Amino acid sequence: MKSQFNCATPADQIKTNRTLKAGIIGAGRMGITHLALLGGNPNVRVTAIADNSPLMSHVLTRYRPDIRLFGDYNRMLKEADLDMVVIATPPPLHTPMIDASLDAGLSIFVEKPFTLSAEEARRVTIRSQDVRGTFQVGYVNRFNDIFMKVKALIDAGALGRLISFRSDMFGRTVTQPSSGSGWRGKREGGGGCLYEFGSHAIDLMVYMLGKPSKVTGSCLTPVFSTGVEDIVRTNVIYASGLTGSLMVNWSDASFRKPANQIEILGENGKILADQHDLKLYLNHEYPPYVKGWNTVYITDCFNAVPFYVRGNEFTREMFHFVDRALDPAQPNLSGFSDATMTQEVIDMVFADAGVEK
Amino acid sequence: MIQLDKVILGDNQFFGINHMSQQKAQQLAERFNSISSICEAYRTAYDLGIHAFMLNSNDKAKEICDYFRAHRSEFPELVLYPSIPYPHKYANLVAEQGIVGAIQTVLSSQSAFNLLGFAGKGLSLLTGDVTKMFMMLIDVEMSIYKKLDFKVIYLQNIVTDLLLGLGFREVFVEYCRYVEKKFHAAPGFLTMNVPRLAAYLEECGIENAVLCGAVNKTGYLMSPDIDSYETYFRGPQRYAVSAMSIFASGAIPAAEAVNYVGQQGIRSIVFGASSRQHMQATLELIKGIA
């Protein structure tokens, strides 16, 4: 019973007889998630993992003896004969790992935030253009059914000229003073609300609207953390005259799980959306949407994924990467150049807030 | 094969969970803010003849279990279907402290300490014996259901499907063995990948598992696709199945939803309802399945 609002995003997974060999650097929460997701894709086999935690080495040796383990990622890249690599380590390690993976000529998936500076992001993006492969950053909202639908509506001009927007993200990740003892509680470690949560809200804005020309009035406010912010607020200005705001708070206990919310107002109407539904207000009919309010729920517009672990978007994201690694001529929906724009905005917010990194 | 209750009341509606809309989720969270409002809904359901409840081990589950224990005489035929763990608790802990830190925090909490003592904990963390660690986490999660009746212990889909993707065969085998031996219950798995999981469990030689997955005519939360599910339900099945997400979070009218599940040959349904009318209407529909 799919409605007329079906998003019709292509179900990924190319038919091929080729099996790619993948390596994973970092077997933490995201590395393990990606290992599980790749376990559901018949076109790829994880043959090597680099991680130096004794616990994870022990676990993997015991339960996945078919995977070769390395304490040193450089050795893995040299010896494991890989086609692609997934980098899921703390952010400060991303850049040297990307460089080494580019040296090895591999397709690369790197978790967000891409790097810790726009300069590094630009440099590795330019380098990647000389390597045959696909290069993706883990901004998972780009693969959410609803946000993909919003993007399609904006690009099709359903709202006309855009006037204003907001991109917000809330969650309850840090709700106690004792929190944040690991790398996530240190800015030089890539921690803090701006890198961890804000990067998602900024990337969603960049995905929908492109890169702004200026941010102003940025506030980075600690609540429970010391050394990093728990709340990010800023105003965003585009050359076109479009203006908006970002509000990101990872210390809001009223949210059961992290949630993104966007609101985009144009000459012809408005969109309100989160990961689960979108509401579209139109000044005029825009078939199949009627004048006035239209609601599209995720149940109206989802596309089933071949293997579900944490939500359709995580599978779609990782299978997109595998498909593009098989056929690098296809554009990547979350490529290094996209993530560089996001990184540039993150740097703009830090600079505007007077933070020296 | 284990006989599952035909009608099982789920709990998402009491904890601000709605897969279709965060706004609806918010409304439910407000309505069922207090434990007493949740317990009142359980009492309504029980009085209507729904005696089986699926209950996730979330922040409020302990108080709900306390209530059931304190009012045992009013719920003489109560059967719980616990689902463990509460995934967001672990997700937030892992986000903050990393995997090892999260395990340490859970296992060194007061309740875990009382339950396990230090010896087991230290040993498992040192040796990376995930199977052992996993069983200790099950003990911690299950402690709230003490002295209540249950016949299945479900593993939450985020854990089931993660382990399925990881291919940690031994953990599946040990979980099933442990649940039967220690709790005298059937090992259950919530999953969004019913056909794939069933094939995998068979491969592992597991006999007595119970599966609970989304079954609805839109194919929502049914991976890889609805056709694979329908093919699976038409074939010979080794495992008892409960259907969940039958309304696809409200996208499908109740009669159509129940009818579709019946057509798949499934005779046990977990559904969410928050009002007496909705509970009664759904109960009548499910009773109508031959």
Side-chain angles (χ1 to χ4, degrees):
Chain A
M1 205 183 56
K2 290 217 172 178
S3 76
Q4 71 272 34
F5 305 134
N6 190 350
C7 294
T9 38
D12 278 338
Q13 198 170 310
I14 291 175
K15 297 262 180 288
T16 177
N17 293 325
R18 237 182 107 199
T19 305
L20 297 176
K21 280 182 280 184
I24 296 174
I25 309 178
R29 180 183 176 214
M30 287 317 299
I32 290 292
T33 299
H34 293 314
L35 175 62
L37 288 166
L38 291 169
N41 189 314
N43 299 335
V44 62
R45 196 156 56 87
V46 176
T47 57
I49 292 178
D51 190 275
N52 51 23
S53 133
L55 177 71
M56 291 321 293
S57 308
H58 217 98
V59 167
L60 291 165
T61 307
R62 174 152 174 192
Y63 300 110
R64 288 297 301 272
D66 58 310
I67 296 176
R68 209 173 148 195
L69 295 179
F70 293 87
D72 171 6
Y73 73 89
N74 278 306
R75 256 193 72 203
M76 179 182 89
L77 294 173
K78 284 196 182 83
E79 296 175 18
D81 186 29
L82 301 170
D83 299 298
M84 53 192 266
V85 66
V86 173
I87 299 171
T89 58
L93 302 171
H94 288 179
T95 309
M97 288 169 175
I98 291 168
D99 274 322
S101 304
L102 287 171
D103 290 342
L106 306 182
S107 285
I108 301 168
F109 177 98
V110 58
E111 263 308 333
K112 48 69 50 173
F114 186 18
T115 59
L116 293 189
S117 80
E119 196 185 333
E120 287 175 0
R122 281 190 293 267
R123 185 183 62 74
V124 294
T125 302
I126 290 167
R127 268 204 74 195
S128 72
Q129 285 154 6
D130 295 328
V131 177
R132 183 178 155 74
T134 197
F135 306 99
Q136 186 173 328
V137 180
Y139 284 114
V140 69
N141 282 323
R142 289 175 180 249
F143 297 90
N144 171 274
D145 287 297
I146 293 287
F147 291 140
M148 291 176 97
K149 184 74 193 163
V150 174
K151 163 82 171 156
L153 284 165
I154 301 284
D155 288 354
L159 298 186
R161 187 175 65 86
L162 302 179
I163 299 164
S164 73
F165 72 94
R166 60 182 177 85
S167 175
D168 300 340
M169 184 171 181
F170 303 99
R172 62 185 307 168
T173 300
V174 174
T175 52
Q176 288 171 35
S178 62
S179 304
S181 53
W183 63 265
R184 286 181 174 84
K186 298 185 180 70
R187 186 163 293 131
E188 61 276 21
C193 183
L194 179 51
Y195 280 133
E196 275 286 296
F197 266 43
S199 59
H200 276 304
I202 290 170
D203 186 68
L204 206 50
M205 172 185 85
V206 169
Y207 174 53
M208 303 283 179
L209 309 168
K211 193 187 136 190
S213 53
K214 189 180 171 188
V215 302
T216 179
S218 304
C219 300
L220 302 180
T221 313
V223 181
F224 298 108
S225 300
T226 48
V228 294
E229 68 289 341
D230 296 315
I231 301 177
V232 180
R233 269 178 200 273
T234 191
N235 301 296
V236 184
I237 300 166
Y238 282 75
S240 66
L242 169 67
T243 59
S245 68
L246 285 164
M247 165 74 190
V248 185
N249 183 345
W250 71 357
S251 298
D252 185 339
S254 73
F255 283 80
R256 192 175 64 88
K257 59 180 185 176
N260 286 87
Q261 299 173 349
I262 52 170
E263 177 178 324
I264 303 172
L265 177 73
E267 272 179 334
N268 300 341
K270 181 162 87 170
I271 288 175
L272 298 164
D274 58 35
Q275 274 98 340
H276 292 79
D277 64 67
L278 82 88
K279 296 185 198 320
L280 173 63
Y281 181 88
L282 290 170
N283 301 339
H284 308 285
E285 184 189 19
Y286 183 84
Y289 304 97
V290 298
K291 182 179 170 183
W293 285 105
N294 300 262
T295 304
V296 182
Y297 293 109
I298 188 107
T299 42
D300 297 319
C301 86
F302 73 96
N303 277 275
V305 290
F307 176 56
Y308 184 108
V309 174
R310 271 179 69 176
N312 285 352
E313 49 268 60
F314 284 98
T315 305
R316 194 170 293 125
E317 171 188 63
M318 190 42 62
F319 282 32
H320 180 82
F321 174 58
V322 174
D323 280 357
R324 296 306 179 278
L326 284 162
D327 182 7
Q330 297 298 315
N332 197 304
L333 287 181
S334 186
F336 276 14
S337 50
D338 299 305
T340 297
M341 284 195 266
T342 297
Q343 200 64 47
E344 285 169 345
V345 180
I346 293 171
D347 278 14
M348 285 157 73
V349 175
F350 276 127
D352 184 52
V355 171
E356 279 190 35
K357 289 189 293 169
Chain B
M1 204 183 276
I2 184 175
Q3 191 69 37
L4 300 170
D5 287 86
K6 195 166 182 178
V7 187
I8 302 167
L9 186 70
D11 62 353
N12 277 354
Q13 69 277 13
F14 300 141
F15 305 119
I17 302 169
N18 183 293
H19 294 295
M20 181 154 100
S21 155
Q22 287 182 3
Q23 207 176 344
K24 286 188 183 181
Q26 171 69 22
Q27 287 164 0
L28 288 165
E30 290 169 24
R31 177 159 165 208
F32 291 107
N33 189 44
S34 71
I35 298 290
S36 62
S37 60
I38 297 171
C39 292
E40 201 176 312
Y42 277 126
R43 193 187 288 268
T44 302
Y46 194 89
D47 291 345
L48 286 169
I50 302 169
H51 295 168
F53 304 146
M54 184 178 276
L55 182 58
N56 180 232
S57 59
N58 61 42
D59 303 339
K60 289 179 176 169
K62 185 179 176 302
E63 286 178 76
I64 293 169
C65 288
D66 288 342
Y67 174 83
F68 287 140
R69 274 186 290 266
H71 297 79
R72 189 178 293 274
S73 60
E74 293 159 48
F75 298 90
E77 291 174 38
L78 175 70
V79 177
L80 289 182
Y81 287 76
S83 75
I84 57 169
Y86 177 51
H88 294 292
K89 175 175 74 185
Y90 287 87
N92 287 331
L93 273 176
V94 170
E96 259 185 52
Q97 302 171 7
I99 291 172
V100 176
I103 293 170
Q104 274 166 338
T105 299
V106 173
L107 289 184
S108 59
S109 67
Q110 192 56 38
S111 59
F113 183 81
N114 294 341
L115 218 60
L116 308 166
F118 266 132
K121 175 193 125 189
L123 193 70
S124 296
L125 277 179
L126 278 176
T127 60
D129 186 341
V130 166
T131 313
K132 180 90 189 293
M133 245 165 7
F134 194 61
M135 301 314 141
M136 294 197 302
L137 289 172
I138 291 172
D139 285 352
V140 172
E141 293 284 330
M142 284 305 296
S143 59
I144 61 169
Y145 302 98
K146 207 163 50 182
K147 294 186 179 159
L148 293 168
D149 286 332
F150 50 85
K151 49 174 132 180
V152 179
I153 300 175
Y154 279 112
L155 207 54
Q156 272 289 337
N157 58 283
I158 190 151
V159 180
T160 301
D161 292 332
L162 187 76
L163 290 170
L164 178 63
L166 293 173
F168 284 7
R169 174 183 297 252
E170 187 187 325
V171 179
F172 279 100
V173 172
E174 282 302 306
Y175 168 72
C176 292
R177 198 190 57 78
Y178 190 72
V179 164
E180 281 196 303
K181 193 175 157 214
K182 167 111 194 231
F183 297 100
H184 309 292
F189 297 96
L190 297 169
T191 179
M192 304 304 185
N193 306 282
V194 167
R196 187 189 191 96
L197 178 67
Y200 186 77
L201 294 177
E202 283 205 32
E203 225 180 276
C204 293
I206 290 166
E207 295 285 347
N208 53 348
V210 178
L211 311 184
C212 182
V215 181
N216 59 70
K217 62 189 280 189
T218 64
Y220 186 54
L221 300 176
M222 296 161 73
S223 285
D225 50 48
I226 191 165
D227 290 346
S228 305
Y229 272 60
E230 290 181 356
T231 306
Y232 173 72
F233 292 132
R234 274 197 300 272
Q237 290 162 61
R238 182 177 291 190
Y239 307 113
V241 173
S242 256
M244 64 177 183
S245 302
I246 67 164
F247 307 126
S249 292
I252 307 170
E256 273 179 53
V258 172
N259 192 30
Y260 178 78
V261 175
Q263 283 167 4
Q264 307 312 309
I266 297 168
R267 295 291 175 268
S268 172
I269 292 179
V270 183
F271 76 100
S274 47
S275 71
R276 185 184 183 91
Q277 293 94 312
H278 189 185
M279 285 176 195
Q280 185 154 24
T282 311
L283 178 65
E284 294 308 321
L285 285 169
I286 298 175
K287 276 184 180 167
I289 300 179

